[in-house]
Amino acid sequence: MKSLIIVSHPSIETSLNQQFFKEAAKSLDVTWHHLEKCYPDGEIELEKELALLNAHDRIIFQFPFYWYSAPAYLKVWQDTVLEHATKVLKQKELGIVLTTGVSEKEYQAGGKEEYTISEFLRPFQRIAHKFDMTFLPPFVMAQFMYQTEEKKWERLIAYQQYLTLEGQATLANRIDWFIKQLRDNSSLREKDQVKQEHIIEYLSSKKEELEDLTFTLRELKG
Amino acid sequence: MKSLIIVSHPSIETSLNQQFFKEAAKSLDVTWHHLEKCYPDGEIELEKELALLNAHDRIIFQFPFYWYSAPAYLKVWQDTVLEHATKVLKQKELGIVLTTGVSEKEYQAGGKEEYTISEFLRPFQRIAHKFDMTFLPPFVMAQFMYQTEEKKWERLIAYQQYLTLEGQATLANRIDWFIKQLRDNSSLREKDQVKQEHIIEYLSSKKEELEDLTFTLRELKG
């Protein structure tokens, strides 16, 4: 399972969100594909795009919400590529990584933004279904700059999992994913490697217990 | 009340829909503004657009449905113009003239297109509300080429009314509109002018009766 991140952002250098995402994606086996950078003259190469789509299993559109939709460049990409993409997209996954300056709770009936993010994303959801793709729940990063350091780290892991986690985002799957990430990280000093092995062992042994506990907590919260 | 029709269509010469619309708009006091033709180099002039918006009361986005949204060029226009348009749009009207190759009844739960056109247009509806504009029910022209001549004429009148009718599209308002159109048409020969006066007289005298009748018919149909 390999992910292609199709990023559309006209001024990516000034975006803390996108810098954060790029950093988080670096250590993973994913392809970062920034449209505005790749095609500064505005001419999208159809064959190149189809080859990229063909080589990946999870396609992700990553963009800031511009007027309740993607920036114009991603629409150019859609209008150019999609009509030729039936074969290369069939039965793959489509994800959306969305950034917004507005709090997520404003996207509801009675909120400042009136409609849910799901409602605004109907065109993307329909595109996924049209190509017989699985539409993943969107990953929404709202008001990144106002978050605490701890929350930012949490979001970093969640983003990395959105890019690479196979199957549903259950706790067990997420723990397995975390263990794999620790194992793949071979840059630690010897002392840290021992610590790491302990963490992996602990997580592995407690996986079922942790999942039961999470379930119970959720039930208790109602 | 004057309407600005902001058309986005990358190959307008081959579009029967758009030719039909253009012809229908010709005899009316409206502004036809085709983005791709006006800015072939892709550079939208902000000041020019703001002046156009400022000079009109009903703003209409007219486009074919491309991937459940407007063609990329209209998104370029939105991303360029809207953030500067708060003053010039406030309390005006926003309408959508949409063409689609798919029958309108496919746009529903269980239909081939899954979601309603209203759901796909949420981003536009939200833009209207954000600028304190009235969002008009969209004018949808589905499968134009398959329609009978009679139906096409009906749609021509409906489109003209969508561009210029003030207030709600009640039968009384539409009759008044029709009478005004007949009066404004001074190109008829003398014989035809007499006929025309008869029609106007008849419509005027029967207006209330016609409206009652329409209401009764609607009630009978349930």
Side-chain angles (χ1 to χ4, degrees):
Chain A
M1 211 283 298
K2 208 177 161 189
S3 294
L4 171 66
I5 313 162
I6 301 176
V7 188
S8 178
H9 197 304
S11 54
I12 204 162
E13 307 74 22
T14 63
S15 163
L16 287 178
N17 276 303
Q18 298 299 332
Q19 280 169 32
F20 172 86
F21 285 142
K22 195 171 182 180
E23 204 53 45
K26 246 182 199 167
S27 62
L28 305 169
D29 182 27
V30 298
T31 305
W32 180 272
H33 180 43
H34 178 212
L35 294 178
E36 285 87 348
K37 189 183 172 193
C38 188
Y39 303 114
D41 62 351
E43 287 293 319
I44 286 170
E45 291 171 40
L46 177 61
E47 291 308 320
K48 181 175 168 176
E49 291 303 311
L50 293 177
L52 268 173
L53 292 174
N54 195 38
H56 295 81
D57 315 288
R58 180 174 294 169
I59 314 301
I60 288 169
F61 292 144
Q62 180 173 305
F63 55 84
F65 231 9
Y66 275 20
W67 302 108
Y68 311 103
S69 186
Y73 214 121
L74 186 62
K75 193 75 211 319
V76 173
W77 183 94
Q78 288 179 44
D79 291 357
T80 310
V81 177
L82 284 180
E83 61 178 312
H84 307 281
T86 308
K87 271 190 200 164
V88 293
L89 288 178
K90 201 172 162 68
Q91 292 182 339
K92 294 184 174 179
E93 294 175 319
L94 182 66
I96 307 279
V97 172
L98 190 65
T99 63
T100 151
V102 173
S103 157
E104 211 171 334
K105 74 177 190 321
E106 300 295 355
Y107 292 94
Q108 61 171 318
K112 277 185 194 154
E113 300 295 358
E114 272 190 284
Y115 307 110
T116 61
I117 284 173
S118 288
E119 282 171 290
F120 287 127
L121 294 182
R122 285 283 186 265
F124 293 96
Q125 188 180 6
R126 175 68 197 123
I127 286 169
H129 294 177
K130 197 174 176 75
F131 286 100
D132 195 12
M133 298 173 89
T134 301
F135 191 62
L136 305 176
F139 182 89
V140 180
M141 183 75 112
Q143 297 188 305
F144 174 70
M145 53 297 223
Y146 299 128
Q147 291 180 9
T148 60
E149 274 307 303
E150 197 189 331
K151 186 80 188 162
K152 280 179 189 168
W153 280 100
E154 235 182 80
R155 299 298 285 157
L156 181 134
I157 303 290
Y159 174 69
Q160 290 185 323
Q161 292 186 336
Y162 192 78
L163 299 183
T164 56
L165 190 72
E166 300 197 34
Q168 288 197 301
T170 59
L171 186 67
N173 273 346
R174 286 186 288 145
I175 290 174
D176 283 342
W177 178 91
F178 201 66
I179 290 170
K180 189 176 174 304
Q181 295 302 310
L182 287 171
R183 285 247 161 77
D184 289 354
N185 188 341
S186 54
S187 64
L188 295 178
R189 286 168 306 169
E190 203 175 325
K191 201 182 72 184
D192 292 332
Q193 276 176 13
V194 176
K195 268 193 209 156
Q196 177 176 312
E197 274 311 311
H198 280 302
I199 296 173
I200 290 175
E201 221 168 86
Y202 178 79
L203 281 173
S204 302
S205 67
K206 299 288 185 188
K207 206 167 75 176
E208 278 186 30
E209 207 176 309
L210 281 168
E211 189 147 51
D212 284 350
L213 207 62
T214 312
F215 183 76
T216 311
L217 273 171
R218 207 175 290 150
E219 291 291 295
L220 282 172
K221 279 188 194 163
Chain B
M1 211 287 296
K2 207 177 161 189
S3 294
L4 171 65
I5 313 163
I6 300 177
V7 188
S8 178
H9 196 303
S11 54
I12 204 162
E13 307 75 22
T14 62
S15 163
L16 287 178
N17 276 304
Q18 299 298 333
Q19 281 169 32
F20 172 87
F21 286 142
K22 194 170 184 179
E23 204 53 46
K26 246 181 199 166
S27 62
L28 305 169
D29 183 25
V30 297
T31 305
W32 180 273
H33 181 41
H34 177 212
L35 295 180
E36 285 87 347
K37 189 182 172 194
C38 188
Y39 303 114
D41 62 353
E43 286 294 317
I44 286 170
E45 290 172 39
L46 177 62
E47 292 308 319
K48 181 175 169 179
E49 293 303 311
L50 293 177
L52 268 172
L53 292 174
N54 195 38
H56 294 81
D57 316 287
R58 181 173 294 169
I59 315 300
I60 288 170
F61 292 143
Q62 180 173 305
F63 54 85
F65 231 9
Y66 276 18
W67 301 107
Y68 311 104
S69 186
Y73 214 120
L74 186 62
K75 194 72 211 319
V76 174
W77 183 93
Q78 289 179 42
D79 291 358
T80 310
V81 177
L82 285 179
E83 62 178 313
H84 308 281
T86 308
K87 271 189 200 164
V88 293
L89 288 178
K90 202 172 161 67
Q91 292 182 339
K92 296 184 172 178
E93 294 175 318
L94 182 65
I96 306 279
V97 172
L98 189 66
T99 63
T100 150
V102 173
S103 157
E104 211 171 333
K105 73 175 191 323
E106 300 295 355
Y107 291 94
Q108 62 170 316
K112 276 186 194 155
E113 300 295 358
E114 273 190 284
Y115 307 110
T116 61
I117 284 172
S118 288
E119 283 172 288
F120 287 127
L121 294 182
R122 286 283 186 265
F124 293 97
Q125 188 179 8
R126 175 68 196 123
I127 286 168
H129 293 177
K130 195 174 177 77
F131 286 100
D132 196 14
M133 299 173 87
T134 301
F135 192 62
L136 305 175
F139 181 90
V140 180
M141 182 75 111
Q143 298 189 305
F144 175 72
M145 54 294 224
Y146 300 127
Q147 291 179 10
T148 61
E149 273 309 301
E150 197 189 332
K151 186 76 188 165
K152 280 179 190 169
W153 280 100
E154 234 182 81
R155 299 299 284 156
L156 180 132
I157 303 289
Y159 173 69
Q160 289 185 325
Q161 292 185 336
Y162 192 79
L163 299 183
T164 56
L165 189 72
E166 299 196 35
Q168 287 198 299
T170 59
L171 185 68
N173 274 346
R174 285 186 288 145
I175 289 173
D176 283 342
W177 178 92
F178 201 67
I179 290 170
K180 188 176 175 302
Q181 295 303 311
L182 287 170
R183 285 247 161 77
D184 288 353
N185 188 341
S186 54
S187 64
L188 295 177
R189 285 167 306 169
E190 203 175 326
K191 200 182 74 185
D192 292 332
Q193 274 175 13
V194 177
K195 269 193 208 156
Q196 179 176 311
E197 273 313 309
H198 279 303
I199 296 173
I200 290 175
E201 222 167 87
Y202 178 79
L203 281 174
S204 302
S205 68
K206 299 287 185 188
K207 205 168 71 172
E208 277 186 30
E209 206 175 310
L210 280 169
E211 189 148 53
D212 285 349
L213 208 62
T214 313
F215 183 76
T216 312
L217 274 171
R218 206 174 291 150
E219 291 292 295
L220 282 172
K221 279 187 192 167

